[in-house]
Amino acid sequence: MWYAITGIDVENSLDKRKAVRPAHVARLQKLLDEGRLLLAGPFPAIDAEDPGPAGFSGSLIIAEFEDLQSAQEWADHDPYRAAGVYREVTVRPFRQTLP
């Protein structure tokens, strides 16, 4: 089943994000390689494709896991979480309707 993982950043998270982004993206790439990633990306902190120094306010990942517990465990081990980028993470079942 698909699960939506939403991470909400702490204030001024950009430097922390940059420091651990390679490890974060590597985990997402593994899901993609396994055919288990529907989408992933950050929420710009301002209304701009590239927010520059304003940075990001969080992230959304929609990926396939065996169950909610597996999705939660995966999210709990995200490098952004370990580095203190996220102040809050939620994991919810997701059912794709369109497209």
Side-chain angles (χ1 to χ4, degrees), residues 3-8 59 61 72 75 81 88-92:
Y3 292 88
I5 301 168
T6 306
I8 305 301
S59 304
I61 299 163
Q72 185 67 59
R81 189 136 204 205
E88 177 184 332
V89 175
T90 60
V91 180
R92 295 177 290 217

Side-chain angles (χ1 to χ4, degrees), residues 4-83:
I5 301 168
T6 306
I8 305 301
D9 285 21
V10 298
E11 294 291 322
N12 302 311
S13 62
L14 189 57
D15 289 339
K16 290 179 182 180
R17 273 183 167 266
K18 287 179 179 179
V20 295
R21 186 174 188 275
H24 172 77
V25 171
R27 292 180 83 229
L28 294 171
Q29 185 63 52
K30 184 174 187 286
L31 289 176
L32 183 63
D33 293 346
E34 294 169 354
R36 298 172 45 211
L37 183 65
L38 183 63
L39 64 86
F43 299 119
I46 60 173
D47 189 13
E49 180 75 20
D50 179 358
F56 301 93
S57 62
S59 304
L60 172 64
I61 299 163
I62 300 181
E64 186 177 36
F65 293 92
E66 188 173 314
D67 53 35
L68 181 59
Q69 181 179 346
S70 298
Q72 185 67 59
E73 288 174 7
W74 187 91
D76 288 345
H77 292 94
D78 191 292
Y80 280 176
R81 189 136 204 205

